[in-house]
Each structure stands twice: as C-alpha cells, then as structure tokens.
Amino acid sequence: MLMSNTARAAKLHYMANGFRVLAPGDHVLCAVTGARIPIDELRYWSVDRQEPYASAEAAVQALGA
C-alpha cells in the first residue's frame, strides 16, 4: 500500500480479538521496527503492552525482550 504525504497515524486500543479506533488515521507504527502498518493490514499486537507489530517476527522479538 502506498502512503501519501497526508498519512496520519491512528491511535488504537488493542483487545484480544481486535482493536478500537480512539483517533482516526490510516496507519500505526510498529513498536519494534518503526515501520508504517496500514490499519487494514494490521495483524499483530500486544494487548498487555498496547503496541502494534509489523510482523510475527517483530512481535516475537518484542515479547522476548
């Protein structure tokens, strides 16, 4: 997905089976890599840490730290 210059980060509340949008936007930033993750491609996050991850590998890295 191509990000425009007007892209805005969303603020989300992560839950066990999904997330709730607290502030609208089109992406979030990976807590490990800093990569932009389009909201419609977000698959990995931590409920306890309330942070998103770009991949399963990034999630494992964050949770193993």
Side-chain angles (χ1 to χ4, degrees):
M1 172 178 255
L2 191 59
M3 298 286 177
S4 71
N5 290 340
T6 60
R8 185 169 72 172
K11 182 171 172 93
L12 305 178
H13 175 75
Y14 302 99
M15 300 175 288
N17 294 318
F19 51 82
R20 183 176 58 216
V21 177
L22 301 176
D26 60 358
H27 71 278
V28 291
L29 298 177
C30 177
V32 174
T33 67
R36 284 184 177 186
I37 310 164
I39 297 296
D40 61 343
E41 295 178 19
L42 179 60
R43 301 288 181 266
Y44 306 98
W45 60 81
S46 169
V47 173
D48 293 334
R49 294 179 182 210
Q50 287 294 297
E51 56 188 26
Y53 308 114
S55 66
E57 293 79 11
V60 169
Q61 184 178 350
L63 299 175

